[in-house]
């Protein structure tokens, strides 16, 4: 009986598809440590030390390895991590990206998030921390895929149309490019017009409760979103500041 149970369990784990992670890191020691830590956690890991190779792999639709998450160093040979991020988002690729970098200044962190990274980990970091961040990003991705499926395909407010399943936004007849975070923020706003959101609540909903950044991140994203949506961003008509409380849409 016991041996049958064991057979059953191992068969089941073999049948569950493993999450795949692409690790782009040119420092050999870090690459090896991260690979071991992620593989121990049950993830399938592919590594490359070169930015161009990473990009080729991600843009090749016939590629055998379609990752569910990218762990991305910033300083890389040939194509740097920020450019990889920027290009993938520009092309509409919404795969979760965790940036790992030795750059520690706030500007670098904000820049990483601005070009579309989902999370940012400063070197040196513990392998436990890295694994926890990867797990959180993959879990969040799964939730947002589920909630997307249950939503209506188009949300409309005045002259803004948001196409939920196509991750597309059209403002006054023009397609606008939103980062994944800006898109999620707008989607949330449009789902609850006139509801007032505190910055903490927005972080919870859009970044996840395990996000370690501060409320300034919300303000920065609101500013970018206004620049893309409003006729006059300094005199907003869509995303309204509710003094002392936060923001509301419409
Ligand atoms: Ca590097």
């Amino acid at each position: 009986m016991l041996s049958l149970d064991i057979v059953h369990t191992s068969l089941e784990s073999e049948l569950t598809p493993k999450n795949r992670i692409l690790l782009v890191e040119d420092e050999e020691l870090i690459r090896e440590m991260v690979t071991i830590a992620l593989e121990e956690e049950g993830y399938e890991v592919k590594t490359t030390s070169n930015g161009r190779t990473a990009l080729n792999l991600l843009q090749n639709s016939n590629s055998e390895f379609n990752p569910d998450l990218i762990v991305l160093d910033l300083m890389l040979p040939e194509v740097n991590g920020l450019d990889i991020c920027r290009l993938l988002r520009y092309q509409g690729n919404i795969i979760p990206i965790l940036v790992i970098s030795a750059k520690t200044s706030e500007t670098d962190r904000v820049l990483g998030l601005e070009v579309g990274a989902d999370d940012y980990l400063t070197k040196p970091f513990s392998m436990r921390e890295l694994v926890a961040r990867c797990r959180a990003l993959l879990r969040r991705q799964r939730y947002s895929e589920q909630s997307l499926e249950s939503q209506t395909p188009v949300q409309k407010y005045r002259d803004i149309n948001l196409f939920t399943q196509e991750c597309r936004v059209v403002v006054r007849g023009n397609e606008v490019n939103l980062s994944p975070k800006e898109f999620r923020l707008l989607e949330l706003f449009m789902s609850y017009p006139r509801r007032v959101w505190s910055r903490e609540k927005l972080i919870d909903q859009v970044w996840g409760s395990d996000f370690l950044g501060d409320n300034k991140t919300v303000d920065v994203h609101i500013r970018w979103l206004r620049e893309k949506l409003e006729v006059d961003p300094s005199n907003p008509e869509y995303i309204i500041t509710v003094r002392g409380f936060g923001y509301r849409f419409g």
Side-chain angles (χ1 to χ4, degrees):
M1 190 63 191
L2 184 65
S3 62
L4 269 179
D5 276 352
I6 293 168
V7 170
H8 179 73
T9 313
S10 71
L11 260 182
E12 210 167 42
S13 60
E14 271 170 36
L15 291 174
T16 318
K18 284 181 179 179
N19 273 133
R20 297 167 159 191
I21 298 179
L22 176 66
L23 168 64
V24 193
E25 168 62 78
D26 59 334
E27 278 170 72
E28 198 181 345
L29 185 62
I30 299 183
R31 199 168 60 235
E32 282 174 7
M33 283 168 63
V34 171
T35 304
I36 291 168
L38 291 174
E39 282 180 349
E40 272 177 359
E41 205 59 25
Y43 297 120
E44 193 180 334
V45 183
K46 193 179 178 80
T47 64
T48 171
S49 56
N50 180 292
R52 166 103 30 224
T53 315
L55 213 45
N56 288 343
L57 201 136
L58 289 162
Q59 291 177 323
N60 178 4
S61 52
N62 299 321
S63 168
E64 289 160 27
F65 190 83
N66 292 312
D68 302 297
L69 168 75
I70 308 172
V71 177
L72 184 66
D73 182 27
L74 289 189
M75 307 289 281
L76 289 166
E78 294 199 60
V79 183
N80 72 51
L82 285 179
D83 285 342
I84 293 178
C85 240
R86 202 176 282 129
L87 196 64
L88 289 177
R89 294 317 187 212
Y90 180 74
Q91 292 168 340
N93 190 330
I94 56 163
I95 184 170
I97 299 175
L98 168 63
V99 163
I100 48 172
S101 172
K103 295 184 165 191
T104 52
S105 80
E106 183 67 8
T107 333
D108 287 320
R109 210 177 67 81
V110 170
L111 192 61
L113 298 173
E114 179 187 2
V115 297
D118 296 274
D119 203 354
Y120 194 103
L121 201 52
T122 306
K123 292 174 188 173
F125 49 80
S126 77
M127 292 304 131
R128 269 182 71 168
E129 174 80 32
L130 175 101
V131 167
R133 301 282 189 104
C134 287
R135 206 186 294 133
L137 284 175
L138 287 164
R139 197 175 50 224
R140 207 180 304 155
Q141 175 78 353
R142 225 169 19 245
Y143 285 147
S144 63
E145 273 167 11
Q146 283 166 358
S147 63
L148 276 182
E149 279 164 18
S150 60
Q151 279 167 356
T152 48
V154 187
Q155 301 206 50
K156 199 174 160 53
Y157 182 87
R158 287 168 56 186
D159 40 16
I160 299 179
N161 282 305
L162 182 141
F163 300 83
T164 310
Q165 281 158 15
E166 299 158 42
C167 295
R168 223 157 51 83
V169 174
V170 175
V171 179
R172 292 176 286 281
N174 298 315
E175 192 98 19
V176 293
N177 272 317
L178 298 188
S179 74
K181 286 288 182 285
E182 290 163 357
F183 184 86
R184 252 178 262 172
L185 203 50
L186 180 61
E187 190 181 23
L188 183 68
F189 276 140
M190 289 183 74
S191 305
Y192 302 91
R194 300 196 65 79
R195 170 175 171 165
V196 177
W197 295 88
S198 68
R199 290 169 177 81
E200 291 79 11
K201 198 85 199 152
L202 289 173
I203 286 193
D204 253 22
Q205 293 288 321
V206 176
W207 281 266
S209 52
D210 46 359
F211 178 69
L212 297 175
D214 60 19
N215 290 347
K216 291 260 178 348
T217 309
V218 174
D219 297 337
V220 171
H221 279 78
I222 295 282
R223 199 172 69 227
W224 293 330
L225 207 45
R226 278 177 174 157
E227 277 161 16
K228 295 175 183 180
L229 303 180
E230 304 283 352
V231 178
D232 176 7
S234 57
N235 195 10
E237 293 169 50
Y238 294 102
I239 304 175
I240 313 294
T241 305
V242 184
R243 216 163 285 281
F245 291 98
Y247 296 102
R248 74 156 210 257
F249 186 83

